[in-house]
Amino acid sequence: MSEKNKYQNRRDFVKKVGKWAVALPIAYLGYELIQKTSAQEFVWQIDPYKCTQCGQCETNCVQTVSAVKCMHAYEMCGYCDLCSGYLRQGVKERNTGAELQLCPTSAINRSFIENPYFAYTIDEELCNGCGKCVKGCAAFGNSSLYLQIKHELCVNCNLCSIAQTCPAEAIQRVPNSKAYNLKDGYKPKES
Amino acid sequence: MNKKILYILLFIFIGWNYFIYGQARFPKPEFDSGYNYPEYQITEPISPVWEYIDVAVLLIVLTLTTRFTLKTRSRKSIILISAFSLLYFGFFREGCICSIGSIQNIALTLFNDGYTLPLSVLLFFLIPILFTIGYGRQFCAGACPLGAIQELTGIYPVKLPKTVETILSTVPYIYLVLSILFAATDSHFIICKYDPYVGIFRLNGPSTIMIFGILLLVSGVFINRPYCRFLCPYGVILNWVSRFSGKHLTITPDICTNCRLCETSCPYEAIIPSDLLQEKESMVKSRKKFIIYLILLPIITVGGIFFLQMFSENLAMVNQKVRLAKELRLEKENEIKAISIDAVTFKESGSTLEQLFLEEQQILERFRKGTPWAGGFLGLSLGLALLLTTINRKRDEYKPDQGKCYSCGRCFEYCPIHLEKLELK
């Protein structure tokens, strides 16, 4: 046996031992992990009952217009004329003037239904998820406005960067099948 | 009588509901004008099937890359498959989930009971490692979108001075250890937070990360694969697994003739030269060094343990709760008013300081337990790296360093035997 072959045998042996030394822990790790695994996928969502409307959703999302939008539980709304989610506090008039609105982007539409009720709908194109209206509605109204992560906008980061800073720990992983925490229990139609 | 109790119970139940589910200060109006509630604007999240399509694509891409690097030996095909991975995993699927980030999910799962690991994430973590055991770092060559964007933009390779290269290549070890430590204590996902390229994939992101990403991309034109070489924590795992891989890319398809043409071809310093043509350190000298480093190995390891343990409380500041507790403690003891948004929310939430301090202590305890392991690992890797420099193997051919080699195939066309074989075809 030549000198080169002698070395080659030793190298092959080291390689074989090394391979097993690497493969066995990884196999064990895989075995350990598979017990904590589920086929379920998860997405991020806000629990509206924990949310404190601190305003971080607007600024901390990786999307430059946040994937968090205001939603309206129509069946909870009081349809007030003096809406504390729509109008600034202490305004004298009640109309659609921009200077009267709480929303910095005028994303809430106010429309008259019948005396004395007004309907409020959200224009999600304009909404930036700041939660000012949500805070207003929770303070003096029925708390029918609330923030949710819209999944057509959310890129589902491994760790949601809003969740990382949310002071109320309101953003959590939820199963893909229950992707929204809707306040009035609205079930979206199966598509 | 019974009915009365029932009514009272019903009243309490309804009242309780109102208490929990928001404040129904104004009753639901009854409209006379036939007003209907508007439709919700809701879209369901992207179907979970996509996650499994991703896994399937990963498998196909890895199989093809393996074929291109080991069998057909075609750099062009490797570039094409990288471009595909960049488009699919990067720009189409927007970079999440990736194998690099999955390290953190794995650490979080292992050390926290509350978190369920999605199967696709586990597969994304394991499949590239399994391929690496078999065939070397095929994942880096063809499937990783971060690797691909750097490989495709690395046009003018410039060699770094050897000391700079060595010092910088210790960073991934530190990054790996810290990311596992922070993920295991449920504090932060730093790999995702500081991923430089994900902003480019999404064409959107925090400005600091975008600037970092673009700077890295520009510097990557000259210093090829800067993230892979000097940051990537998953690369550390693949590096060590790849050293024992069964098959691996070779520079030459046949017997090496020691022509030295490939010597400068690798921008990643991953070619180990043959020693037929150069002087080697004397056996006695390297044996002496070996013994010194062998004695140093346990010392460095223990040093690492104590060194990182000293910083356990500083490292714990990454955790949001620990920061909050510190701020509130300052307020309590030194009357410095806590004004951060976390502190304000905490005060409004009505939980007690004792509860928070207890939780803080638990988190600190986990850091105290974790840091010695992290430090020990760092010390051990440093010691082993030193030890390995003294091992002089006899080599009669130019071979890729199996740990460092990304299987990118840049060296193929430098080899005259490879070119000859191509022409024969």
Side-chain angles (χ1 to χ4, degrees):
Chain A
M1 195 183 274
S2 73
E3 199 188 4
K4 194 197 157 188
N5 277 341
K6 203 174 78 191
Y7 281 127
Q8 205 52 52
N9 278 342
R10 198 165 69 191
R11 282 174 198 177
D12 286 346
F13 175 72
V14 168
K15 211 169 179 180
K16 215 178 238 175
V17 170
K19 206 171 170 179
W20 281 107
V22 166
L24 285 179
I26 286 168
Y28 178 70
L29 188 71
Y31 170 76
E32 270 296 290
L33 285 167
I34 206 106
Q35 294 165 338
K36 290 185 173 184
T37 300
S38 89
Q40 183 90 55
E41 296 293 330
F42 295 87
V43 290
W44 295 98
Q45 194 49 273
I46 301 173
D47 182 345
Y49 300 108
K50 283 187 179 171
C51 172
T52 56
Q53 303 96 36
C54 63
Q56 302 226 38
C57 288
E58 181 197 349
T59 49
N60 283 11
C61 183
V62 293
Q63 304 283 62
T64 29
V65 179
S66 175
V68 174
K69 301 284 172 200
C70 178
M71 304 244 303
H72 198 181
Y74 300 110
E75 297 184 27
M76 283 172 75
C77 179
Y79 294 86
C80 315
D81 181 9
L82 180 65
C83 173
S84 58
Y86 181 76
L87 297 164
R88 279 171 200 268
Q89 234 175 309
V91 289
K92 296 277 187 317
E93 291 169 75
R94 293 200 281 278
N95 58 45
T96 54
E99 76 280 6
L100 307 177
Q101 291 180 25
L102 203 54
C103 179
T105 57
S106 285
I108 305 180
N109 296 319
R110 168 183 157 109
S111 54
F112 177 71
I113 306 174
E114 62 184 61
N115 213 11
Y117 300 130
F118 283 83
Y120 299 91
T121 51
I122 317 278
D123 184 349
E124 284 179 6
E125 289 282 306
L126 294 174
C127 177
N128 63 359
C130 68
K132 290 196 171 84
C133 58
V134 181
K135 204 169 191 107
C137 184
F140 302 109
N142 278 4
S143 203
S144 60
L145 292 168
Y146 59 107
L147 293 174
Q148 288 285 283
I149 294 171
K150 300 292 279 187
H151 290 297
E152 73 270 27
L153 302 169
C154 175
V155 287
N156 204 14
C157 295
N158 200 1
L159 178 65
C160 171
S161 68
I162 322 172
Q164 175 61 32
T165 47
C166 177
E169 293 180 17
I171 303 188
Q172 274 146 359
R173 292 180 180 88
V174 296
N176 203 309
S177 49
K178 286 180 211 154
Y180 288 91
N181 292 320
L182 298 179
K183 265 195 161 175
D184 52 2
Y186 176 88
K187 296 268 186 313
K189 280 178 213 123
E190 293 284 322
S191 56
Chain B
M1 187 66 198
N2 262 344
K3 258 187 183 170
K4 231 178 194 173
I5 294 172
L6 216 72
Y7 279 131
I8 290 169
L9 279 177
L10 194 71
F11 185 75
I12 290 172
F13 180 70
I14 292 169
W16 179 244
N17 267 344
Y18 276 130
F19 179 68
I20 298 177
Y21 298 114
Q23 301 87 338
R25 296 191 178 93
F26 306 99
K28 196 162 127 183
E30 281 168 25
F31 300 110
D32 303 324
S33 57
Y35 167 80
N36 285 324
Y37 297 121
E39 279 284 307
Y40 263 86
Q41 308 161 353
I42 274 187
T43 30
E44 285 296 287
I46 189 164
S47 163
V49 173
W50 274 101
E51 314 280 337
Y52 294 98
I53 294 176
D54 286 352
V55 173
V57 172
L58 179 73
L59 272 172
I60 294 166
V61 164
L62 281 172
T63 319
L64 282 177
T65 317
T66 309
R67 204 184 135 74
F68 296 149
T69 50
L70 300 183
K71 213 160 179 201
T72 60
R73 294 173 54 83
S74 153
R75 163 90 176 143
K76 224 176 239 168
S77 315
I78 298 172
I79 286 188
L80 281 178
I81 199 96
S82 317
F84 169 77
S85 296
L86 176 61
L87 289 176
Y88 181 79
F89 290 116
F91 289 104
F92 176 58
R93 298 291 285 131
E94 302 188 320
C96 242
I97 171 83
C98 77
S99 301
I100 306 172
S102 73
I103 299 171
Q104 300 161 124
N105 302 61
I106 302 293
L108 184 65
T109 318
L110 283 177
F111 298 99
N112 294 274
D113 289 329
Y115 176 67
T116 332
L117 186 71
L119 183 63
S120 58
V121 177
L122 178 64
L123 291 175
F124 256 82
F125 178 72
L126 285 180
I127 290 172
I129 294 181
L130 293 179
F131 263 83
T132 310
I133 295 180
Y135 309 104
R137 296 171 71 167
Q138 304 298 343
F139 175 73
C140 304
C144 179
L146 284 85
I149 196 172
Q150 295 171 84
E151 184 67 45
L152 296 175
T153 51
I155 309 164
Y156 301 107
V158 173
K159 276 203 175 164
L160 283 180
K162 195 133 198 209
T163 33
V164 178
E165 167 106 24
T166 318
I167 291 167
L168 283 179
S169 59
T170 56
V171 178
Y173 285 84
I174 300 168
Y175 199 20
L176 173 71
V177 155
L178 289 183
S179 62
I180 291 179
L181 183 70
F182 292 146
T185 54
D186 203 0
S187 305
H188 211 317
F189 274 19
I190 53 171
I191 300 175
C192 298
K193 175 94 183 169
Y194 302 108
D195 181 343
Y197 298 111
V198 79
I200 296 168
F201 295 154
R202 293 170 179 167
L203 305 172
N204 195 349
S207 53
T208 42
I209 297 296
M210 287 298 272
I211 292 168
F212 178 47
I214 289 165
L215 280 180
L216 213 62
L217 204 63
V218 171
S219 68
V221 175
F222 307 103
I223 307 159
N224 290 179
R225 286 193 184 239
Y227 184 83
C228 304
R229 276 151 86 195
F230 308 130
L231 280 169
C232 183
Y234 195 59
V236 174
I237 301 173
L238 293 190
N239 181 322
W240 279 93
V241 175
S242 179
R243 288 176 198 220
F244 307 108
S245 69
K247 278 186 185 165
H248 195 276
L249 168 139
T250 52
I251 300 166
T252 170
D254 213 326
I255 295 161
C256 176
T257 55
N258 286 289
C259 67
R260 302 183 64 184
L261 283 172
C262 63
E263 233 173 25
T264 54
S265 69
C266 185
Y268 314 122
E269 311 273 345
I271 294 180
I272 308 173
S274 132
D275 44 34
L276 288 185
L277 303 161
Q278 54 193 27
E279 274 299 303
K280 274 208 131 171
E281 215 175 17
S282 75
M283 204 67 161
V284 183
K285 212 174 163 189
S286 59
R287 273 211 182 135
K288 234 183 213 167
K289 260 193 190 166
F290 180 82
I291 290 165
I292 294 172
Y293 287 149
L294 198 64
I295 298 166
L296 268 178
L297 182 66
I299 299 173
I300 298 174
T301 311
V302 173
I305 290 174
F306 284 107
F307 181 74
L308 217 62
Q309 203 172 20
M310 284 198 309
F311 293 103
S312 72
E313 283 188 21
N314 302 51
L315 289 171
M317 288 297 282
V318 170
N319 192 296
Q320 196 188 7
K321 271 223 173 92
V322 176
R323 278 202 306 271
L324 173 66
K326 187 167 182 184
E327 191 183 358
L328 289 170
R329 185 173 289 124
L330 268 179
E331 183 184 54
K332 198 178 162 197
E333 287 167 6
N334 304 350
E335 290 175 5
I336 300 167
K337 200 150 173 43
I339 49 160
S340 80
I341 214 157
D342 291 351
V344 172
T345 311
F346 177 81
K347 285 179 203 162
E348 282 171 1
S349 73
S351 15
T352 58
L353 274 177
E354 285 73 35
Q355 182 66 31
L356 179 74
F357 290 153
L358 196 73
E359 272 181 70
E360 183 209 11
Q361 284 312 314
Q362 281 165 354
I363 297 165
L364 280 176
E365 185 56 35
R366 300 185 79 182
F367 269 91
R368 270 184 223 114
K369 267 187 200 157
T371 41
W373 286 96
F377 174 80
L378 279 181
L380 192 68
S381 339
L382 182 65
L384 276 177
L386 283 175
L387 202 63
L388 284 178
T389 57
T390 63
I391 293 177
N392 269 332
R393 286 167 48 166
K394 251 194 149 82
R395 289 172 199 282
D396 48 12
E397 55 181 351
Y398 280 83
K399 265 185 113 177
D401 178 337
Q402 290 206 4
K404 279 189 194 169
C405 174
Y406 299 113
S407 302
C408 70
R410 275 179 200 250
C411 49
F412 289 161
E413 56 191 45
Y414 285 80
C415 179
I417 303 168
H418 172 80
L419 294 177
E420 198 180 42
K421 283 213 164 172
L422 268 188
E423 264 171 41
L424 282 178
K425 270 184 191 170

